[in-house]
Amino acid sequence: GAFAEAVRERLRAVVRDLQERGIVEDAPGRTADEIARDAGRALPSVAGDLRAGARVFDDIWYGGRTADRAAYDRLVAVDRAVRDARPGQGDANDADRPMAVPR
């Protein structure tokens, strides 16, 4: 039931994965949008997913939107997509595709 915290922790897990894989550098103070931008350049196949995940996080933590199961599920989908993505997969057109949403 603590969906806001779950969203935050899932986004942190995505960032940790990106850092451990050398996709983005560990840089304290970076925003979710900055990480999504930088990681999206390296992983164009999930650039749209990363931007959508950052938007969900920002809407909840800074925009006052109430977190719910759907928001958390969106971050889970982003996490899975990012874990499966490899640098160089996809192309610039993939950056604009909509985020996959679990059913």
Side-chain angles (χ1 to χ4, degrees):
F3 290 113
E5 289 79 12
V7 164
R8 180 178 57 195
E9 290 306 313
R10 184 59 73 147
L11 183 63
R12 285 179 176 168
V14 170
V15 172
R16 264 191 315 276
D17 175 59
L18 291 166
Q19 290 169 343
E20 288 170 359
R21 292 170 51 196
I23 305 294
V24 296
E25 293 181 23
D26 183 7
R30 257 182 168 175
T31 68
D33 292 319
E34 290 169 336
I35 291 168
R37 180 197 63 216
D38 294 347
R41 288 180 184 144
L43 301 171
S45 66
V46 293
D49 297 309
L50 288 160
R51 282 193 312 270
R55 192 169 35 255
V56 168
F57 173 82
D58 287 345
D59 287 351
I60 291 167
W61 283 97
Y62 304 114
R65 186 177 133 221
T66 301
D68 57 13
R69 166 68 65 186
Y72 176 70
D73 288 344
R74 281 193 292 277
L75 263 289
V76 170
V78 170
D79 189 8
R80 288 182 181 142
V82 169
R83 270 188 282 138
D84 292 341
R86 298 291 172 254
Q89 286 182 330
D91 60 35
N93 293 328
D94 288 339
D96 294 322
R97 73 177 172 80
M99 184 181 85
V101 178
R103 294 177 187 214

